[in-house]
Amino acid sequence: THTDSAMATGNQKVVGVGIIGSGVMGLEHMQNIKLLENARVVMVADTDENSRQLAAKECPEARVVEDYEVLLADESVDVIVVCTPNCHHIHVLRKAIPSRVRHILVEKPLCTTVEHCQEVAELVAEHMGPETGRIFWVGMEYRYMPPIARLLEHVDNGEVGKLHMVHIREHRFPFLLKVGNWNRFAENTGGTLVEKCCHFWDLMRRILQGAKAVRVYATGGMDVNHIGETYEVDGVKKRPDIIDNAFVSIDFDNGARGCLDLCMFAEDRQHEEVHVVGSTGKIHAEAPGELSRQSQHLSGNSRSVSGAARIHQ
């Protein structure tokens, strides 16, 4: 995608990208954008001096500033990527959505409260409706991981029949360190089930083709990670309060059910499994990994086929 104001390199339009927030995710976006032929990071904004230095090292041709409003006003910026701590998304988006920038990608989660998400939705409807040609997107990239994308193709094609159950399991390492340890506190992240698991709520609704949750049952706790740790925040020592394990069960308005099994101290890798069960079969994918199994319910005869997909009838 490019805009009329995009820079020209030879005969090709190059999109000028502004990055707001140059912590862990901001740097990752910079690295990915550098792989694109038709995009270039032209500006970076961050209030943290060390983060600005890292951004300047990563993208030496980009202008690095402290104030993101300077970035929003700069004519070289066509699109922005918002990578600030979750609790600051709302403040940036209040300024960015009505601004001159063409398109906006905001890191997940959109915001840390329902009220702020609703406010953003209203701002997008007012300033970025379909008639404007502007794009607003939240970075829910799990949908596009190859094994998950293939699972969605099979589900969308009706290969497991009417959908009844979605089970997602993630057993992984604890949260990574972030600038100023902001992600150790639920008031900044929205809590683990928002910060991390918004990916899985999005996947469940995508798999179930937009079904809405009507009942949620959840239990979890902070049982292993960060026990006994303290961090100084604005001169006050605080203990982390982010849960590290949970079970969540969801009833959807189409009669289907979803379940999440989360553990953030079980393994030294990040590993997700997605199981979808329908009226005529089941499909299972792992990320990272491959679509590993497609099966049909046992009834009468049974057979199996080895390879990328094993089928049972």
Side-chain angles (χ1 to χ4, degrees), residues 226-241:
H226 315 305
I227 301 296
E229 294 179 6
T230 59
Y231 296 91
E232 187 169 317
V233 180
D234 297 328
V236 178
K237 289 187 175 180
K238 298 178 65 175
R239 292 186 180 276
D241 62 353

Side-chain angles (χ1 to χ4, degrees), residues 143-160 206-207 209 276 283 285 291 294:
R143 298 177 173 214
Y144 306 102
M145 293 179 175
I148 304 299
R150 287 194 290 275
L151 177 144
L152 291 171
E153 289 178 9
H154 287 281
V155 170
D156 290 347
N157 289 337
E159 296 179 27
V160 296
R206 170 61 184 86
I207 290 167
Q209 300 172 346
V276 181
I283 191 164
L291 181 68
Q294 182 184 347

Side-chain angles (χ1 to χ4, degrees), residues 29-294:
H29 280 287
M30 292 178 214
Q31 293 161 4
N32 290 334
I33 291 166
K34 285 161 65 175
L35 299 175
L36 303 176
E37 293 182 358
N38 64 336
R40 190 174 79 195
V41 177
V42 294
M43 285 191 71
V44 180
D46 199 297
T47 58
D48 180 77
E49 182 178 357
N50 184 62
S51 294
R52 292 197 299 274
Q53 292 175 358
L54 291 173
K57 183 177 179 180
E58 184 67 42
C59 295
E61 296 181 357
R63 180 186 174 196
V64 181
V65 299
E66 182 176 0
D67 187 351
Y68 71 86
E69 292 191 54
V70 174
L71 181 151
L72 293 177
D74 195 284
E75 292 292 330
S76 69
V77 177
D78 302 298
V79 303
I80 63 168
V81 184
V82 180
C83 309
T84 64
N86 305 348
C87 55
H88 295 310
H89 288 183
I90 183 62
H91 308 300
V92 174
L93 294 174
R94 282 171 178 158
K95 299 284 188 179
I97 293 171
S99 77
R100 51 156 297 282
V101 298
R102 186 67 173 160
H103 307 300
I104 298 172
L105 167 61
V106 58
E107 262 296 337
K108 60 80 193 168
L110 175 58
C111 294
T112 58
T113 70
V114 172
E115 293 75 18
H116 286 165
C117 289
Q118 291 172 333
E119 180 182 345
V120 170
E122 292 171 0
L123 285 169
V124 170
E126 180 181 356
H127 298 281
M128 300 184 70
E131 72 283 356
T132 68
R134 301 175 72 195
I135 297 172
F136 183 92
W137 188 52
V138 183
M140 295 296 187
E141 75 274 11
Y142 275 49
R143 298 177 173 214
Y144 306 102
M145 293 179 175
I148 304 299
R150 287 194 290 275
L151 177 144
L152 291 171
E153 289 178 9
H154 287 281
V155 170
D156 290 347
N157 289 337
E159 296 179 27
V160 296
K162 181 181 178 181
L163 303 179
H164 289 288
M165 303 175 72
V166 179
H167 179 267
I168 298 178
R169 176 183 183 268
E170 179 178 52
H171 285 192
R172 56 163 285 171
F173 48 80
F175 282 125
L176 300 174
L177 288 172
K178 299 289 183 75
V179 176
N181 300 304
W182 66 267
N183 64 336
R184 295 298 187 254
F185 304 99
E187 65 179 351
N188 296 332
T189 67
T192 301
L193 295 182
V194 172
E195 156 70 0
K196 182 67 190 75
C197 301
C198 58
H199 282 303
F200 306 135
W201 317 138
D202 176 68
L203 268 186
M204 287 184 186
R205 295 200 65 222
R206 170 61 184 86
I207 290 167
L208 296 173
Q209 300 172 346
K212 296 181 179 180
V214 292
R215 282 177 294 275
V216 179
Y217 315 86
T219 180
M222 179 176 159
D223 296 326
V224 175
N225 297 341
H226 315 305
I227 301 296
E229 294 179 6
T230 59
Y231 296 91
E232 187 169 317
V233 180
D234 297 328
V236 178
K237 289 187 175 180
K238 298 178 65 175
R239 292 186 180 276
D241 62 353
I242 49 172
I243 67 172
D244 55 25
N245 68 100
F247 290 119
V248 182
S249 180
I250 303 173
D251 291 342
F252 289 91
D253 61 3
N254 65 350
R257 294 180 178 87
C259 179
L260 171 68
D261 167 4
L262 174 73
C263 182
M264 300 191 66
F265 51 80
E267 301 185 34
D268 60 359
R269 60 173 182 160
Q270 185 169 340
H271 182 245
E272 292 93 14
E273 298 178 13
V274 181
H275 302 260
V276 181
V277 184
S279 58
T280 61
K282 169 185 174 180
I283 191 164
H284 163 215
E286 299 185 16
E290 297 294 331
L291 181 68
S292 60
R293 177 180 297 171
Q294 182 184 347

